[in-house]
Every structure is written in C-alpha cells, then in structure tokens.
Amino acid sequence: CSEDFLEADLKGTDLESAFYKNETQARQGLVAIYDVVGWQGNGYVTREGMANAASDDQRAGGGGPSDINDLQVVTKWTLTPEIGPHNELWRKGYAGIFRANKLLEKLTEVPMSEVNKARFAAEAKFLRGYFYFDLLRMFKNIPLVTKPLTTSEMRDVPQADPASVWKQIEDDIKAALAEPNLPDRISSTDDKGRVTKGTAHAMLGKVYLYQKKWQEAAAEFALVNGTTPGQPNPTYGYQLLPNFADLFKSKPEFKYNSESVFEIGYSSQSNGGWGCVSCTEGNVLNILVGPRGYNPKPGAPDYVSGWSFLVFTKDFYDFIHFDPRFKYTVADVDSLERNGFATYEKGHDNTGFFLEKFAGRQSNRPGTGTMELNFPQNKYDIRLADTYLMEAEALVMAGQSGAVGSRAYALLNAVRARVGLGPIVATIDNIFDERRLEFAGEGIRFFDLIRTGRAAAALGGRGFDPNRHYVFPIPFHELQSTKMEQNKEWGGNK
Amino acid sequence: CLQISAKGFSQQITLKERNAPLKKVLKEIARQAGISIVYDESLLARTSRVNIDIKDMPVKQAMNMLLLNQPVSFSIEGQKIVIQPMAADIRPVAADTVITVSGRVTTETGEALPGATVRVNGTNTGTSTDGDGRYSLKVPGKNSTLVFSILGYTSKTLAFSGSSLNVQLSLSETALTETVVVGYGTQKKAVVTGAISSVRAKDLEGMPINRIEQALQGRTAGVTIASNSGQPGSAATVRVRGITSFNNNDPLWVVDGVVVDNGGIGYLNQNDIESIQVLKDAASQAIYGARAASGVILVTTKKGKAGKLTISYNGYYGTSQPARKLDMLNATEYATLRNEQAVNGGSAPVFADPASYGKGTDWQSTIFNNSAKRMNHELSVSGGGEKSTFYTSFGYLDQEGIVATEISRYKRFNFRINSTYKITPWLTFGENIGYAYDRSVGLGNTNSEFGGPLSSAINLDPITPVIETDPAKLSAVPYAGNEAKLRRDAQGRAYGVSTIVAQEMTNPLAFISTRLGNYGWSHNAVGNVYLEAEPIKGLRVRSTLGSKVAFWGSENFTPLFFLNSSNNPANNSFQRTNNSTFAWNFENTLSYSKDINAHSFTVLLGQGAYMDNRSRNTSVTFQNVPAVTFKEASMNYKVTAPNRVSDGGEGVEHTIASLFARVNYAYDEKYLLEAIIRRDGSSRFGPNKKYGVFPSFSLGWVPSRESFWPQNNVVDMLKFRGGYGEVGNDNIGDGAYLPTIGSGRNYTLTNSDLAYPGSSPNAPANPDLKWETTVQSNIGFEALLFKDFTVEFDWFKKLSKDILMYPDIPWYMGAAGNPADNVGSMENKGVELALTYRKNIGDFEFNLGGNVSYIKNKVTFIGDGVKFITVGQASFQTMNAITRTEVGQPFNAFYMFKQMGVFQNQAEIDSYVGKSGQKIQPNAKPGDFRWFDKNGDGVISDDDRDYIGNPTPNWTYGMTLNAAYKGFDIVVFAQGAAGNQIFQGLRRLDIMNANWQRKSLGRWTGEGSTNSYPRLSIKDDNKNFTNPSEFYLEDGDYWRLKVLQIGYTLPASLVNKAGFERVRVHVMSENLITFTKYTGYDPEIGGGVLSIDRGIYPQARTFMVGLNFTY
C-alpha cells in the first residue's frame, strides 16, 4: 500500500497549519473569543445563573434539592473545590484567554486589511482583560497566561500575584483604547455586539472600581455616561432606554439598544439540541427560570413551562413589591394561581416568584429546533444604568456628598427617573438599594455583595462563611499534577 | 485420527512389551512399518493392556496376534491400517429375507468409507462395507430402514426403495474430530492451542434467536452479553473477557472474513449461521492485530454441499407478554403519601381526601401488551455438484413489542446466497453475500429517565385518568385553550393530562398517538468474493474482496400536540433522515501445509487493506406541513424556506494496512506450537507511530498421546495449552495526532438573531499517539473423561496498557478538549470452565453442557498524580455521576454514599458526633438517613462517597440440556450472571410528586418503623433520596430459563415417503422463568455502563410453536 492510504482525511476540519491565512479566518478566530462571552456549560452554568443563586435575592430552585447541583451549592454554600459552579466559570475564563492569546499570536502573520487587523487585536486584548477580570474577582490567585501554552510546559505554570494580574487587565484594556481603529460606536446593525471604545472605558472603570481606585474609576465612567446624566452621550451614543420593560425584550429592535454597553448575544437560529447543550447559541436562562408545569388560562401571561430555577425570595419580593420595576422583574405566578389565572407545579424552594426578566415566553420561543435551548434573548454584561450607578458609587466613595446638585445625585436619580421614581440623596446605601432593584436577576447583586464586604451580613443565614466564601476555591481539577495551590481560605497556602 | 506414513506392509516387526497400552504397541508397529494406523481414541479406550513378544513377524500377522482378544478388529486399506469396532455383533442375515440392497458408502467428498456398519434398523442384522465402501445386505422386508454408521461420522437412518442405496456420511463433530474456524483458516480442535469458544448451527437450530448476540449468551464461557433493551431488534452489549479498554469495548465482528462493525451485525439471520467462534486469548486474536483487543468474533455462514438438493424450513409463531409488572401505588395510597411528604416538608396536605381517589389509573396496564405477536420463517435451499455448490436462503422476522406495541415493532427480511465454483480442479471462485432490510418502530427512549411510555407509566400519578370525560375539568386548565392540540382516542375523547406530574412524563397513550406511523429502516449488504488456488498440494493462494454497504434512515412526523405544558410544540414537523456507510477490505493470503512423517507444518502469509466509515448523512425537517397524521405528511408540500431545516455530515475514513504471518507446527498431534506476527498501520496515528506490531505464540502438549500415558478408563484425552500475545486497539478519534481547528464556536454579534461563524484550535495534538496494547497470557486444558465427559478450563490474565484516552489537562490551558494520549492500564484476571456430558443409552440420547466464568477487573493506572477519572462514567438525573474510575477499583464502579440506617429519634441525631464532638448531621430529622462519614471529618460531604459495588457482573454462566427419546426431544437452555449491583433509578428525583413503588409504604413513619427506608419529605434537606447512595443499589444476580423447547420428530419411515428427510414440530417458551432478587422489570441491562436501570424495556416472555423440516 502507498503511504497515502494511511493518511487521515479530516473532512470539514481545517488543520491549524492551514488556518489563519486570510481575513475571513482571522475574523472566525475573533468570533471564537466572543463566543466565550456567551459561554454556557453543559451543566447550565452561567456566570449570571451562579450569581443569582448565590445572591440574597434568589435561590437555586429547580425540581429538587440536587437539581443543577452547581446552583444548589451556592445557594446553601456547600460548594467544595470539587463541586460547584466555579469549575465551569474557571474553564470559561481560560477558554476565552486561550482563544485571545491564539489570535494575537497568529494575527501578525495574517495577510489582511491593516485597519481590521489592528481592530481585531484591540478587541482580542480587551476580551483577554475581560476574562481575567472575571477570574481574578472570583478566584484571586490565578495563573497569568499571555501566550498559548504548549503541552510540555503546561504543568509548570505558577499562580501570579493578583497585583500583576490587575496590571495586565488594565494594560490590555488601555491598549485597546489606544488603538485608533477601535471605533467609538458601531452604527451597522451587523456588528452591534462588538467592543467599542465606549465598552472599553466602561470596563476599565469597573476594573478600577474593584480595586477601589475611585478617582480613576469615576473618570472612566464619566466618559461613558456623558456630561449630563440622562442625556445622550454624543461620543459613544449611549442613553438610558425610556421604557424599562424594553430592556428585556428579545425582538431584534430591542437588542443592542442605546443603553447597552456590553451585551451577551444569543440566537434562536442555531438549532441547538440535547446532544450538546453547551453548543447552542440560544439562551438557556429562559427555560431555567420559567415556572414549572405552568398551565395558563387564556389571557394569563404566556410563559412557557420551565424548570423553576432562580426563584426570588419572599424577602426580595417584599423589598421590590412597591417599586415600579416590580412587574418587570418578578413573575408573580403565586398570585396568578391564587386568582385562578393559572396553575403551576411547586418545585424545590418554591416561592411562586419567578424571574420575569428572563422567563421564556410563547411569544419569543424559537420557531425551529428544541424549544428549551433556542431562546434568543440577550443578557447585559454592562448597561448604562450600571455605569451611572458605578460612577455615582465611585464619586461618593471618593468623597463626593451625593447631595442635590452633585453628579452622584444626578446619576442616581437619572436611573430612578426613568422608572418614574422621585429623587433621593445619593448615599452609598441608597446607591446599593437602587442597584439591587434595578439589576435584580441580572447577576450583579452577588458580586456587589462580595466586593463591598456586605456578603457576610446578607448571606450569613444561608451558610456563607466570611472566612472562606469571599473567594471561590481553585477547582480541585487544577490542583492535580500542577503547581497550583489552593487559596488559603480553602485550606491552601495562597 | 492419527496418520503416520510410510514404509510398507513388508516390514518385519520386532516387539517386546508387557502390560502395555494397546495404543503404545500400535504406534510402535506403525513406526517400524512406516505405515499409518487410523484409529479413534475413544475406540481404543475400550481395549485392554497387552503382552506381546514377537521377532521379525510380518505386519498383518503381528496385528492379528495383537488384537486377538481385543474388542476391535482391523482392515488394511492401501497404505493404512484402520482399527474398527469388532464385527462380532453383526450377524449373518437369516435366509428367508426377500430383498437384497446394495450400494456404496462414501464421505461427502465421495471418498470410500471402508468398514462402515450397515444395519437394519431395530435389529442386529447387518454387514460392513468393503475397502471400496461397498456393501450388500439382505433385508427382511420393504418397510425396513437402514442405519449407516462408522466411527467419526454422523450416522444416517434411511428408508430404501428398490435395491440400490448409496449413502454419504458427514464427519461427526466430536471433541476429537471437531474443527474450528480460526483467522484465515480452520484447525482441528484437537490441535488448537488458543482459547476459543464456539457455537454451532446445531446449538441454534430452532432457537428463538433474533440477533446474533443472543446466540452467544450463555453458550460461550467468558463472554458477557446484556441486552440493551427488550425492544424488538435491539442490540446487546457484548464483552469478551470483561472490560478491556476505557473506550469502546465492542469486539471485532468478522463475518465470512468481512469486518462488520458492532452496530451493523443485526442483518444476520441466525439460521444462516454455520458457526460462531469467539477468539478470547491474545494468541488466537493476534492474527487480527490492531483491532482485536476487545475480542474477535468470527461468524461463518452456511455453504452448500455437493449432492442432493436440500430444502429446509425453520419457523415459529407465538405471542409475548411482559414477565413482570412493577407494583406501583394506587391513587389512594399515592395521595396519602403525597400528603405525608408535604406535611413532613412543612407544607399543607395536598389532597383533602385521599380515599376519594380510589384505585385510580394503572398506567402500566395501558401500555403492556399480553399478546404481542412474534413470528419467524426461514427457508433455505442448498446443494450442488462437482463443479459448484450453493446455499441460498430467505428469512422473515416480525416481532411486536410488549410495551406500546403500536410504536414498538421490528420486521426483517433476509436474503443470502453463498456459492462456490470450481473453475479448474485447482481453482475455486466463490462468494458469500447476505442482505437484509429491516423496518423498526421504536419507543424512542427505551432505558431513559427522560420520558417515553415506560418511564411515564412508572412516574405518572395514578389520579389522572387515562381519558378525561369530566366536562368541568375539560373546561378548565390545562384542557381549556388547548382543545385543538389535545390528543384524543378513537372516539374523540381527550386523553387525560396530568397537572400533578409534568415535565417529560406524559400520558403514554397520548404520547403513542403522536408517533403513529413513524419508523426507521435500513438496508444492509455484506459480502465477499474470493478466488482460491491450490496449484500444488498443500499450497493455497487466496484473494478475498469484501465489503459492507448500509443505508439507513427514518421517517418521523410529529403532529401538533399538547401532552402537558412542557410538551407542547409550536409547529408540526416532518423529518426524514438518510445515512449511508461503506467499508471494504481486500486480503491476500498464501498458505502451505506439509506433513513429513509425524511432523506437520502450516505456514500462512498474508496482506490486507481495510477501509471503513465512508459514511454520509443528511436530515431534512419540514415544519408546518399541511398534515395532521403521518400518512398525510409529505415533502411534496413545499413549505416556505424558513420552515425547512436541514443538516448533514460525513464520516472520516478509517484505513488500516497490514502484513501478517502464522506458523503452526505439530508433532504427532502431541506437541503443538503456533506463532503469529501481525503488523498494522492505521490512519489514526501519525508518522511517528503509524505502525504497530503484534506478536503471539502458544504451545500445546497432549500427554494422553505419549507412550508413557497409562492405559486407563478415566482420562481418554488430555491436552494442556498455553499462550501469550499482544493485540491492539486503535479506537480513538480520527486525526487526534493532528493540530486541528474546530468550527461551530459561533457567536451572535448582530441584531438579526444569527450567529457568526467562529473557529479556534481544538485540543492540543499528540503526534506520538500510538496503539493501545493488550497483553494476555492464557493457560488451559481440555480433557475427555470417561469417554462421554469433556472438560475445558482456562485461566487468563489480561493487561491493557497505554490505554487510549483523553487524559485531563489543566483547564487553564484553555483548550477546547483534552489531547489524546496513551495513559491508563487495567488488568483482568479470570477463569472459565466448560463441561459437556453426552450419553446414549439405547434410544435415549442425552447431552448436558454447562459453562461458567469468573472475571476480576481492576484499574491499575490512570496517570501520575491523578486521583480518579470520569471517562465513560454513568450519571443519573440530578445526582450527576454515580460511577467513577480509580486505581485499585473496577472500571466505573459505583461511587456513592453509604448509609447506616435511619435516625429513629432526635437523641440518635444528637449523639452522632465527630471527633470534636460536633453533630455530624445537625440538620437531620428523625426518619432521615444516617450517612457514613467515611473520611471522619465530622461533616457529610461528597468526599464521604465510597466504592460500593460493581455494575459489571463478574460471574456469567449458562447451561444447555438436550435429551431425546425416540422421536421426542427436549431442549432446556438457561443462563445468568452474578456478582453485580443494579442501580435502580426508576423514579424521577426532580419530580417530587412522581408516583412511588409499593415498597415505599414501608417508609419510616415513626420510631422503630424501619431502618432502611427514610421518611418522605418534599424538602428532603438530608438528601435521603437525592444523594447517590446504596439505597438505590440491588444485587443483580439472576438465573434465567431462557429457552424450554419440546419437540417431536416424525418417524422417518413416514416422512421419507413424502420426500422429506426430517420433519420436526416443537413448542417452546422463551424467558419462561427468571430467578432474581432484583425488584425492577429485568436484571439484564446493557449499555455503556451495565446495570443502570432507568426503566429498561423488559425482555418478553414468549410462547411459540415451531416447525422445522428438511426436504
């Protein structure tokens, strides 16, 4: 036999040596980095889902006490280095970093438009910083990898000093901002989800905020929020949506709206199926949070029957009940049933209060494919209301009074005014209460509790141990045959 | 038989022996004379020891003297002396008989059979044939039949008409004359040195076997078979000597020399099978080299025989029913327990008056069919002449499932033609071609907790009615608003929709109504053509081209329906899938056999090239088709483009190029040696490690042929054999050695709801990826005892090393997967014992066979610093993984919590404390499980799980009894397995209000009530039910009376007149009784990890009547 006979012909699969040869392929490499932003593991773990289950506003719910166990263990704080959502989120971060490192390594050699090449590189760097930010705030002691690792060196990687990771994140985002070919805003509907200078400033502000660099944070947010809170930002095009409810609609005209700074995109068109849940481009949060066994009478809300995860607690229900955002935030199926409009099945931890912002609807269920896995609703990573309130927080923490006439006051009350609430003083507590109401169910509250040290008070009743749970454990998987050491909160040396 | 060649009868013999075995003396005469003496061991076993002292005596005279007082005689045929039974009981025929019959007795190939006995049936009247096989006998009357017999051949009883009757006798298969198929040839079983289990056509005759795996079950020591489902047409999981690899453990199937993948073996019709050989040790597998590690199963189909045309028919017809129903709670009991569960969980009772629900619905009875039809017909015609032979057959199988028969049925049509043509006396051309078309209708989920009629029947509440007729209910949710989508029975009444138990659990009758008409189909053709030349005696050159072509697909229409709020599609859809695959192999072999005196050699050289997985698939779905039933659905309705969804793909071709050689040497059938070497190159490995070399050798010694072997009445034959060899496995993803880019890493960056294509590197490549190697040693013996009793014993030790796997790399590498590598090792040790006992006492024939095997599996390496691996692990619902692989444990052993009884009161909870005195389960309540704190850290965590069982049986056994008396016969076949645990996962954990089995009535209800079944609670904070624990494990031992058959063969004198050779009718039952303690439907549960019961489709119990005839 000739040697050819034994050569594998991998139909439809490119060899790496033959890839990254033109702009189309470089663009595919870039999309693969963005893909990680919308990461959904096979176990339905997302950063937002985890943060909701771990917050004081919601509980894991589901069908039983072990249903999507990764969510249950952060509600009850029984996670271990081996079991918990941190595993998937660690993988997510490094998957994104690898893809960014790979593209940055290959990009210099790709024959393509120099303008696009520079823009791609800026986006890759931004995204690398973005993934490191998530990893650092969750795990603290992490390996800092800035080029693709070979298998021969993979077991000798040390954990980096957190300060050097913060510096890398800032450097990456600043490098993106310094790139003239990274646009301020995107007018074409085709590329709406891509990173702009506005996105980078917001992200950098957030990075400063987490480091308590209040002045620098406020300065970056100010660029995003514009000179007059509530008015359009002429540079980056941002403006609060007039109608709060429109933020959570999944029709194309509501996606990448003027309030969206960095958005997590999903599609109903990928034909995702049960064979590979993580492969779908649909948003799985929609089916997760739908009421279980929901049987509406004609005229009742058209939720699809879901899996009853991430139910709101009674405490939160009481907290938000008289806020104008209540009905856009909480699906009060308990009330629907009591009033005879629907029946539903009471799942684990049932309260009857479901996550209205993301509950799947008959009206947005996909036309094709497996209904559960193909909802098209996007999520926000950063929206303008968030940068308003973060700037307000930075200003107040930096010493601004927050009284009438202050910028912090204007920022806070712009957010309130949008939903018809009257102005209040921008005290730090008021800002945090506003954040809790505004972003409920969007995966923000938990990180606020952690970064401000408020978690112990808010979550103590659930088993949150302040000596341990302010940081996630390094996944058990990573400790085997590597130089990784466990965080000291989890019994290690780091 | 033994043959020694040649000096001549003129030789003068000189001998002096005292009290010597006759055999020893015969051999000495043969040696001195240089002639052959042909005898059968069992014949000599009856002789007594001899004293002889002769000098320079001619051969014939010496023989006369030697056999003087022995119960055997001899005849001289050419250069051979044939030892034969004494003709003493053959008496001259009385003079008053009226007819003289004469003829010739020959072998099937036409060679004369001298010394054959011809006897008038039922009398002692007879004669024997002369040196040319001729006989002449006076027979008392026209109604007599004649019996033709000679040792080593199968007797024939024939009626005669006229005065001439020529007879062909075929070699009988005794322990001494049996041949077995080995790779690229056959060997006499007497000289085989490897461990090979065989199943032969006669073992399968009339058996209700639908798939070939069933033919092996219980009939082959060391082979574990577990049916994947009782769904008609379902495959079974086959493990040869246990679990060999972490990957695919399916054996290599070779049908008439064509490699057929495991999934594609269902096309074979059992009636076409001449023999099946399972090559179990490396010494016999090595000739198949790189793909043999998980065992090789050689299937040979029937060939035509020269001579008379034979027409044979086999068929049966019967009905099937479930052997066992689960005992579920009725509606009142269910409501009572639901209330208790709610109250224990701090909620209000759910049902005000449980007793008002009565018995409620028995969902199982709605789907079980107690008279599912089953039939099989097979007709074959074979025959041939000097120039050519043929065998052709047609088969038809139709089996209805016992569960939801409307959507569970399997039909198969078979066709086969095997033929040979002698182009010249030394050149033969032939082909073996089998084709099957099957059409199957399936439940979809057959062993799944996620729906399907069985799972629904187990989990649905008994309160919901099968059909809802209450107008009040029909005008409320969930019926109201869904009128158009509700499923209805033939009278238009709505099927009940449960509002209590939802998710995937739906009214099974409604579910069935959504799948009516859907089916899957396949066409399979497997065949080869060959040319074989024997230009000089002993030298054979053979060239074989084989291929397998398969086409399969499905047609599914899903109407609009409302089964419950979660099963409620927005559109109807009509899906069509089409798949095809093609494989070929081309092999050329050259073999040379030569006997020189007592030395016999065979050398085989071969070359092969193989290609498989040239596969293609497409799938098209049309939505919103203007149809409401399967029958109306058509793709000729051109729905708009967005309503057409399609997908497709191609397989990566897998190629192998090989060279192989084998040497066999035997001295006097006493000292045996075989050595094999094979070199394979595979497309799955890179240039660094493309080729693998697989050597093996085996030795045999037959002490019973030694001259020192004492003449005795106990051990008639004894053979020791042992071997050592290496075989391979290339079962890993194609191109794993190449750095590749993965597509589909798409992302939505646009308003238009469409994802952009994204690509990034896959797992890091491993250019040094190579074969997985299995090294196996085998030692065994075979013996014939007391003439009627055979024993075969094997001990083996099998070590798989460099196991191909995808070992975990650190996640911070960010790779999309793990690189393939050769990492693990695993050991299997075991013993196998097979016994048979045959006895004929007058007209009573009796044959009892049994086999038992034991295997111990242990993982010995999984990587440096790696505590456990998860490859192939089983998981169950929200428990996630329930098995795990760790060094020192069996592969994928159950890894779960142990409980130490149920807390009876608060005091027991308070006193269950850790080392520092803190309560181990502070939140437990009386009635909760007391979990075992394995690591003693005072906290119950996942680290407290332990290895508490093995899903793979370590014992398998089978037994066959055949007995016949006059025309009646009985076959009893039983098989079983033991030593495993079954995970019984029948209840959905995330549906807290699912129904329970009746054993839940024994739950904890107060102090002292029980120590084994915890309290019910909707909260279940102690995870009594959601922890993976030994609570879910049961022993999987079983012993099943698989087949009981009683037959009657019509008298030959009667049927022969009508032209039939043989007519037999029988009644039989399959799966009549199963002895097991397991409480689920069926203890036989196949799958990747065996013994995970998610509601397995049970094996049916069938009663059948059958007919076989040969014309």
Side-chain angles (χ1 to χ4, degrees), chain A residues 457-470:
Chain A
L459 301 170
R462 294 183 169 198
F464 183 93
D465 177 354
N467 296 319
R468 163 162 284 194
H469 292 135
Y470 272 107

Side-chain angles (χ1 to χ4, degrees), chain B residues 279-337:
Chain B
L279 310 185
K280 298 188 292 189
D281 68 330
S284 36
Q285 293 163 347
I287 197 72
Y288 288 100
R291 287 180 290 176
S294 296
V296 180
I297 301 180
L298 303 177
V299 181
T300 308
T301 58
K302 288 175 179 166
K303 310 290 183 288
K305 287 167 185 160
K308 162 177 173 299
L309 196 70
T310 304
I311 299 170
S312 92
Y313 167 84
N314 279 293
Y316 56 78
Y317 179 88
T319 61
S320 307
Q321 62 242 219
R324 190 189 272 185
K325 236 174 105 173
L326 290 180
D327 215 355
M328 304 303 298
L329 296 187
N330 68 34
T332 302
E333 293 161 338
Y334 167 79
T336 309
L337 260 57

Side-chain angles (χ1 to χ4, degrees), chain A residues 106-175:
Chain A
K106 296 282 185 183
L107 206 51
T108 51
E109 303 293 322
V110 181
M112 62 182 283
S113 135
E114 289 303 319
V115 171
N116 281 342
K117 186 185 280 192
R119 183 177 171 193
F120 286 8
E123 288 174 89
K125 282 185 183 160
F126 169 90
L127 290 166
R128 180 166 68 185
Y130 168 83
F131 294 123
Y132 268 121
F133 171 74
D134 261 356
L135 287 168
L136 192 59
R137 64 176 169 160
M138 288 189 282
F139 297 97
K140 191 175 71 181
N141 293 297
I142 59 173
L144 181 59
V145 184
T146 52
K147 64 178 183 47
L149 291 167
T150 64
T151 48
S152 55
E153 64 196 3
M154 72 182 171
R155 301 207 177 270
D156 298 320
V157 180
Q159 278 151 297
D161 173 13
S164 65
V165 184
W166 281 122
K167 179 168 185 311
Q168 179 68 39
I169 296 168
E170 289 179 13
D171 288 352
D172 272 341
I173 299 172
K174 284 176 186 163

Side-chain angles (χ1 to χ4, degrees), chain A residues 115-405:
Chain A
V115 171
N116 281 342
K117 186 185 280 192
R119 183 177 171 193
F120 286 8
E123 288 174 89
K125 282 185 183 160
F126 169 90
L127 290 166
R128 180 166 68 185
Y130 168 83
F131 294 123
Y132 268 121
F133 171 74
D134 261 356
L135 287 168
L136 192 59
R137 64 176 169 160
M138 288 189 282
F139 297 97
K140 191 175 71 181
N141 293 297
I142 59 173
L144 181 59
V145 184
T146 52
K147 64 178 183 47
L149 291 167
T150 64
T151 48
S152 55
E153 64 196 3
M154 72 182 171
R155 301 207 177 270
D156 298 320
V157 180
Q159 278 151 297
D161 173 13
S164 65
V165 184
W166 281 122
K167 179 168 185 311
Q168 179 68 39
I169 296 168
E170 289 179 13
D171 288 352
D172 272 341
I173 299 172
K174 284 176 186 163
L177 283 168
E179 173 52 55
N181 290 306
L182 186 72
D184 288 340
R185 56 203 286 184
I186 295 164
S187 46
S188 156
T189 58
D190 284 349
D191 277 344
K192 273 288 196 185
R194 288 173 71 178
V195 168
T196 61
K197 284 228 168 72
T199 317
H201 283 299
M203 191 66 216
L204 188 57
K206 207 167 159 182
V207 169
Y208 288 139
L209 188 79
Y210 271 72
Q211 297 177 80
K212 304 193 182 345
K213 295 179 178 175
W214 310 118
Q215 309 283 7
E216 292 96 322
E220 291 297 327
F221 288 132
L223 294 172
V224 178
N225 298 335
T227 45
T228 316
Q231 293 303 306
N233 178 330
T235 314
Y236 302 119
Y238 298 130
Q239 185 176 16
L240 292 178
L241 274 193
N243 188 354
F244 182 79
D246 290 346
L247 285 165
F248 305 101
K249 291 180 178 167
S250 55
K251 292 267 183 299
E253 58 268 33
F254 298 105
K255 292 187 169 187
Y256 307 104
N257 54 58
S258 66
E259 185 168 338
S260 172
V261 177
F262 193 41
E263 194 158 327
I264 305 173
Y266 293 101
S267 161
S268 67
Q269 302 290 312
S270 72
N271 214 9
W274 297 114
C276 179
V277 171
S278 65
C279 300
T280 186
E281 301 300 328
N283 187 344
V284 298
L285 192 61
N286 296 88
I287 193 67
L288 247 66
V289 304
R292 184 167 276 254
Y294 179 72
N295 283 305
K297 261 193 181 170
D302 66 337
Y303 308 120
V304 299
S305 188
W307 302 343
S308 71
F309 281 94
L310 304 175
V311 290
F312 283 114
T313 62
K314 181 71 168 57
D315 282 352
F316 178 73
Y317 174 87
D318 293 340
F319 179 71
I320 198 175
H321 197 176
F322 299 105
D323 187 276
R325 286 162 289 204
F326 169 77
K327 68 175 177 170
Y328 307 114
T329 305
V330 179
D332 191 354
V333 181
D334 175 61
S335 158
L336 287 176
E337 186 175 70
R338 273 189 284 105
N339 293 300
F341 289 108
T343 65
Y344 74 107
E345 192 188 324
K346 283 91 193 156
H348 182 60
D349 278 341
N350 180 57
T351 54
F353 311 131
F354 296 90
L355 179 51
E356 170 77 16
K357 285 177 177 173
F358 291 103
R361 300 283 197 150
Q362 296 294 346
S363 58
N364 73 346
R365 69 184 282 170
T368 62
T370 305
M371 178 267 283
E372 289 87 342
L373 302 179
N374 291 288
F375 284 98
Q377 190 178 343
N378 287 359
K379 296 187 288 201
Y380 298 99
D381 189 271
I382 304 175
R383 60 182 169 95
L384 196 63
D386 193 7
T387 54
Y388 272 27
L389 294 179
M390 284 193 285
E391 186 188 344
E393 178 188 344
L395 291 169
V396 171
M397 292 307 286
Q400 198 176 91
S401 76
V404 184

Side-chain angles (χ1 to χ4, degrees), chain A residues 1 3 5-17 19-20 27-32 34-38 63-69 76 80 82-83 87-88 90-91 94-95 98-99 102 143 145 149-151 154-157 188-194 252-253 255-256 263-269 271 279 281 292-298 304-307 341-343 345 348-349 362 365-369 371-372 376 378 475-478 480-484, chain B residues 476-478 480-482 485 498-503 562 564-566 568-571 584 607-611 616 623 642-643 645-647 650-653 655-657 681-685 690-691 734-735 737-762 764-765 808-816 819 864-868 878-880 884 941-943 945 989-993 1018-1021 1023 1026-1027:
Chain A
C1 281
E3 285 298 311
F5 179 67
L6 293 179
E7 289 304 316
D9 174 13
L10 304 176
K11 286 182 185 298
T13 302
D14 291 305
L15 294 183
E16 191 176 327
S17 54
F19 205 71
Y20 303 107
R27 187 181 294 269
Q28 288 173 17
L30 178 68
V31 171
Y34 276 107
D35 176 38
V36 182
V37 174
S66 294
D67 204 359
I68 309 190
N69 198 40
K76 292 184 229 159
T80 65
E82 199 184 316
I83 294 171
N87 290 299
E88 193 65 34
W90 174 282
R91 296 180 65 167
Y94 281 103
F98 167 74
R99 294 180 194 182
K102 195 68 176 184
V145 184
L149 291 167
T150 64
T151 48
M154 72 182 171
R155 301 207 177 270
D156 298 320
V157 180
S188 156
T189 58
D190 284 349
D191 277 344
K192 273 288 196 185
R194 288 173 71 178
E253 58 268 33
K255 292 187 169 187
Y256 307 104
E263 194 158 327
I264 305 173
Y266 293 101
S267 161
S268 67
Q269 302 290 312
N271 214 9
C279 300
E281 301 300 328
R292 184 167 276 254
Y294 179 72
N295 283 305
K297 261 193 181 170
V304 299
S305 188
W307 302 343
F341 289 108
T343 65
E345 192 188 324
H348 182 60
D349 278 341
Q362 296 294 346
R365 69 184 282 170
T368 62
M371 178 267 283
E372 289 87 342
N378 287 359
F476 171 77
H477 182 275
E478 301 299 85
Q480 301 182 92
S481 314
T482 66
K483 293 219 157 40
M484 295 294 112
Chain B
V477 292
N482 291 305
K485 293 169 87 177
S498 176
T499 52
I500 302 169
V501 176
Q503 303 301 101
F562 180 87
N564 64 27
S565 55
S566 305
N568 175 19
N571 311 304
W584 59 259
Q607 168 272 324
Y610 310 82
M611 188 287 293
R616 308 275 183 272
Q623 300 188 108
N643 280 308
V645 182
S646 61
D647 197 7
E650 298 100 51
V652 174
E653 291 175 18
T655 51
I656 288 190
S682 167
S683 60
R684 291 192 173 139
F685 304 104
K690 187 90 65 205
Y691 294 92
D734 293 285
Y737 67 94
L738 290 166
T740 55
I741 297 289
S743 57
R745 292 172 191 147
N746 306 343
Y747 189 61
T748 313
L749 287 166
T750 152
N751 294 60
S752 66
D753 196 22
L754 273 175
Y756 287 4
S759 295
S760 69
N762 288 320
D808 278 1
I809 58 172
W811 287 334
Y812 57 69
M813 287 285 285
D864 284 318
V866 178
K867 189 165 173 286
F868 64 89
T878 62
M879 287 175 186
N880 298 323
R884 174 182 277 196
S941 70
D942 283 295
D943 295 336
R945 288 174 292 170
L989 300 173
D990 59 338
I991 300 179
M992 306 294 283
N993 33 21
I1018 46 165
K1019 276 223 153 73
D1020 195 19
D1021 287 329
K1023 297 198 174 182
T1026 53
N1027 263 348

Side-chain angles (χ1 to χ4, degrees), chain B residues 1075-1101:
Chain B
F1075 299 95
T1076 182
K1077 287 185 182 156
Y1078 181 60
T1079 61
Y1081 285 121
D1082 199 317
E1084 186 186 330
I1085 302 161
V1089 176
L1090 304 184
S1091 309
I1092 311 293
D1093 187 359
R1094 306 168 198 273
I1096 184 105
Y1097 192 126
Q1099 307 271 319
R1101 176 192 289 155

Side-chain angles (χ1 to χ4, degrees), chain B residues 172-248:
Chain B
S172 66
E173 292 187 342
T174 69
L176 297 164
T177 60
E178 209 176 296
T179 59
V180 294
V181 177
V182 295
Y184 308 99
T186 57
Q187 281 180 9
K188 243 173 90 178
K189 189 161 191 308
V191 301
V192 164
T193 48
I196 300 176
S197 288
S198 300
V199 178
R200 284 155 200 290
K202 68 177 164 52
D203 303 326
L204 307 178
E205 196 173 52
M207 290 287 116
I209 291 169
N210 291 352
R211 279 186 66 101
I212 190 168
E213 297 97 326
Q214 295 166 343
L216 298 170
Q217 189 177 38
R219 294 181 177 93
T220 46
V223 183
T224 308
I225 312 276
S227 176
N228 292 348
S229 160
Q231 163 107 6
S234 288
T237 305
V238 181
R239 299 285 175 261
V240 177
R241 287 189 168 172
I243 297 169
T244 309
S245 172
F246 296 169
N247 309 301
N248 190 335

